[in-house]
C-alpha cells in the first residue's frame, strides 16, 4: 500500500451494544402497541357509553271500554287504549312482533289479543299508538261493582348501533284498569 492510499479501518462492533439496542427497540414497539391498544379500548368504551342501546318506554295515557254490556256473569266490550312509545336511542327503532293483550283478573286468562303493526320510530322521538279490539265473554263475578281488567302491551324491536351492530330491545307495560260493572266506565287505571 502506498503512502497516499487510505488504510482500511476495521470497526469492531460491541456485541453487547447491538443486543441492548435491539432490546430497546423491542421495548419501544411493545410500549407503542400497548398504548395503541389502550387507546382503541378507551375509544370503544366511549362509543359504547354514547351509543349504548336502551329499551323503549311506554306510557299509557288513556283506556276506554265503549259498548260495555254485562249479563249472565260475562261482559263484552271494545277495549281501546292510547299509548305513547318513546325511543330514547340515537338511532331508529324498528319494532315488530308486538302485541296488546287483555287479561281477566285475578285469573289471568287471555280475554282479547291484538298484534301491533310493525313500524319504525326515529331516534329520540315519541310515537302515539292507539289500539282497539272487541272482547267477548269477559268473566264478571257475582254482584261486584268493580271489574278489574289487565292490559299488557309488549313492544319488540331492534336498534342499529354505529351502522354495524343490531341490538334487540323489548319492553312491556302492564296496566290494571278498574271498570264499573254497571256501565263500563273506567274508574281509574295504574301501570
Amino acid at each position: 500500500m502506498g503512502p497516499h492510499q487510505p488504510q482500511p479501518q476495521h470497526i469492531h462492533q460491541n456485541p453487547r451494544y447491538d443486543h441492548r439496542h435491539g432490546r430497546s427497540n423491542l421495548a419501544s414497539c411493545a410500549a407503542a402497541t400497548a398504548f395503541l391498544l389502550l387507546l382503541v379500548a378507551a375509544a370503544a368504551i366511549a362509543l359504547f357509553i354514547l351509543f349504548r342501546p336502551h329499551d323503549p318506554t311506554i306510557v299509557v295515557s288513556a283506556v276506554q271500554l265503549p259498548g260495555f254490556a254485562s249479563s249472565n256473569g260475562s261482559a263484552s266490550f271494545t277495549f281501546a287504549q292510547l299509548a305513547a312509545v318513546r325511543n330514547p336511542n340515537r338511532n331508529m327503532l324498528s319494532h315488530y312482533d308486538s302485541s296488546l293483550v287483555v287479561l281477566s283478573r285475578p285469573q289471568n286468562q287471555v280475554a282479547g289479543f291484538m298484534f301491533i303493526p310493525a313500524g319504525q320510530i326515529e331516534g329520540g322521538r315519541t310515537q302515539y299508538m292507539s289500539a282497539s279490539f272487541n272482547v267477548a265473554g269477559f268473566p264478571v263475578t257475582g254482584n261486584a261493582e268493580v271489574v278489574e281488567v289487565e292490559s299488557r302491551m309488549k313492544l319488540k324491536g331492534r336498534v342499529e348501533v354505529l351502522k354495524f351492530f343490531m341490538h334487540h330491545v323489548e319492553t312491556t307495560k302492564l296496566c290494571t284498569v278498574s271498570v264499573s260493572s254497571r256501565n263500563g266506565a273506567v274508574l281509574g287505571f295504574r301501570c
Side-chain angles (χ1 to χ4, degrees):
M1 280 201 212
H4 297 291
Q5 288 184 342
Q7 292 187 356
Q9 295 181 355
H10 296 292
I11 300 174
H12 294 284
Q13 292 184 342
N14 185 346
R16 294 172 103 187
Y17 176 77
D18 285 339
H19 185 64
R20 282 188 212 157
H21 186 65
R23 226 183 230 172
S24 67
N25 281 342
L26 182 62
S28 295
C29 286
T33 301
F35 177 74
L36 288 175
L37 288 174
L38 186 62
L39 192 62
V40 167
I45 290 170
L47 285 174
F48 181 74
I49 289 171
L50 287 175
F51 293 97
R52 181 181 52 186
H54 299 282
D55 289 337
T57 57
I58 300 172
V59 176
V60 176
S61 54
V63 176
Q64 295 178 337
L65 280 73
F68 187 89
S70 174
S71 66
N72 299 329
S74 70
S76 61
F77 52 87
T78 299
F79 184 84
Q81 178 173 295
L82 177 64
V85 180
R86 183 175 186 287
N87 176 11
N89 299 295
R90 293 177 184 256
N91 296 326
M92 184 179 301
L93 163 68
S94 299
H95 62 87
Y96 55 88
D97 197 21
S98 302
S99 61
L100 177 61
V101 178
V102 171
L103 305 163
S104 62
R105 288 198 40 134
Q107 300 90 351
N108 281 339
Q109 293 178 346
V110 175
F113 180 85
M114 177 184 175
F115 282 111
I116 297 171
Q120 296 178 332
I121 304 172
E122 292 290 331
R125 301 289 180 147
T126 299
Q127 182 175 356
Y128 294 93
M129 297 182 177
S130 62
S132 63
F133 54 92
N134 294 327
V135 175
F138 190 87
V140 178
T141 55
N143 296 329
E145 294 289 321
V146 177
V147 175
E148 285 195 334
V149 176
E150 194 167 273
S151 73
R152 182 177 60 217
M153 183 175 178
K154 183 181 283 190
L155 193 79
K156 293 181 183 179
R158 63 180 174 259
V159 176
E160 190 177 81
V161 180
L162 298 175
K163 305 277 184 191
F164 297 109
F165 306 105
M166 294 303 269
H167 181 75
H168 294 278
V169 294
E170 182 174 329
T171 190
T172 301
K173 181 60 80 172
L174 188 65
C175 297
T176 302
V177 184
S178 298
V179 180
S180 169
S181 62
R182 292 183 187 173
N183 59 9
V186 174
L187 303 173
F189 65 92
R190 64 184 181 284
C191 298

